[in-house]
Amino acid sequence: MSEQPFDPAVTVLVIEDEPQIRRFLRATLASHGYKMIEAASAQEGLAQATSRLPDLVILDLGLPDMDGVDVAKRLREWSTVPILVLSVRDRENDKIAALDAGADDYLTKPFGVGELLARMRVAMRHSTQLNQEPGDPVFKTGGLQVDLARRQVLLNGGEVHLTPIEYKLLTVLIRHAERVVTHQQLLKEVWGPACTNETHYLRVYMGQLRHKLEADPARPHYLITEPGVGYRLKVE
């Protein structure tokens, strides 16, 4: 007797450009009670993730328009949805890159149905245990609105143009909204593990962000300093 998913309405987004793999997954997932959404390209997959908010993403790395590692990074800017990578790439560096980008697990092609379903169940179970829900691609607090899917920042209805580093710093704070994010964690997520001691980077870019997003940068309303520890994004 085949095992069923936790919820008969569990939706799986498959981002895969090979039609034969999609056909195989369509039949496999349907026979085990999953609802499947298909995307043959990275851009289509990102659009489906934004509009349909799936419970699980199965992601190929070798997509025609964008590397799957970059797709995982884009998804992680706004969503905690479990990501299971399927790829012919079997080198350790490829697996590390995908996992560092935010993937929850990695399965090398060719793969067995039993192992695929088991890894899906594990990813879903971890998500359930952490009480994770599909993320909302639009973050709002007070007059600040960030459309994470479109990478658009609005303040009191007007668009604010951020540099790539400023935007990345803001999205990390959004992902941990109302929680203190340490200097080391921010440096690692924005600049990389080699820069965890470069706290002056944070001072400079946080100052720039405050000048763009705060009515009074000296008395910030959104971007709060936790002395000696890090920063916190305040949510109203």
Side-chain angles (χ1 to χ4, degrees):
M1 183 176 177
S2 61
E3 293 189 47
Q4 296 296 311
F6 298 102
D7 183 331
V10 166
T11 300
V12 180
L13 169 60
V14 174
I15 308 176
E16 166 66 66
D17 66 323
E18 295 184 42
Q20 63 271 30
I21 298 291
R22 293 202 307 275
R23 283 196 299 270
F24 170 74
L25 289 173
R26 191 184 311 134
T28 298
L29 296 179
S31 68
H32 288 82
Y34 293 93
K35 179 182 178 182
M36 176 172 152
I37 307 167
E38 300 179 36
S41 68
Q43 291 298 337
E44 184 185 358
L46 290 168
Q48 292 277 25
T50 302
S51 61
R52 305 289 290 275
L53 298 178
D55 301 294
L56 176 75
V57 173
I58 294 178
L59 173 65
D60 180 33
L61 294 185
L63 298 168
D65 53 339
M66 186 187 302
D67 192 275
V69 170
D70 294 320
V71 175
K73 289 178 181 177
R74 290 281 297 273
L75 287 171
R76 282 291 172 258
E77 288 180 355
W78 64 272
S79 177
T80 58
V81 63
I83 300 172
L84 172 58
V85 166
L86 296 183
S87 179
V88 294
R89 304 178 194 173
D90 59 359
R91 294 184 307 172
E92 184 175 330
N93 287 345
D94 292 319
K95 295 179 182 180
I96 290 172
L99 294 170
D100 281 347
D104 295 270
D105 205 350
Y106 192 112
L107 193 56
T108 304
K109 299 176 183 176
F111 53 87
V113 171
E115 184 176 8
L116 170 66
L117 294 172
R119 293 190 185 226
M120 288 174 59
R121 290 193 297 271
V122 168
M124 292 296 299
R125 184 160 59 246
H126 286 172
S127 178
T128 301
Q129 289 170 345
L130 294 171
N131 294 315
Q132 294 174 331
E133 298 179 353
D136 187 340
V138 179
F139 173 84
K140 297 179 183 178
T141 179
L144 177 64
Q145 177 175 314
V146 183
D147 188 324
L148 294 157
R150 297 181 179 179
R151 300 189 175 199
Q152 183 183 52
V153 180
L154 301 175
L155 184 64
N156 300 321
E159 186 166 4
V160 179
H161 297 283
L162 301 182
T163 68
I165 291 291
E166 290 168 354
Y167 180 78
K168 192 170 184 181
L169 179 58
L170 180 60
T171 60
V172 173
L173 290 168
I174 288 173
R175 197 162 65 244
H176 302 283
E178 277 296 7
R179 287 180 286 176
V180 179
V181 188
T182 66
H183 297 133
Q184 288 75 19
Q185 185 176 355
L186 282 167
L187 287 163
K188 182 178 179 181
E189 293 198 36
V190 178
W191 284 275
C195 298
T196 53
N197 293 319
E198 308 293 342
T199 53
H200 62 283
Y201 290 177
L202 276 178
R203 287 195 297 271
V204 170
Y205 281 92
M206 189 60 70
Q208 292 175 188
L209 261 184
R210 282 173 170 162
H211 274 91
K212 292 182 178 182
L213 300 179
E214 302 282 6
D216 182 356
R219 303 177 67 181
H221 180 72
Y222 302 113
L223 304 168
I224 309 302
T225 298
E226 299 291 342
V229 179
Y231 298 93
R232 174 172 56 89
L233 179 62
K234 184 179 177 182
V235 178
E236 294 183 348

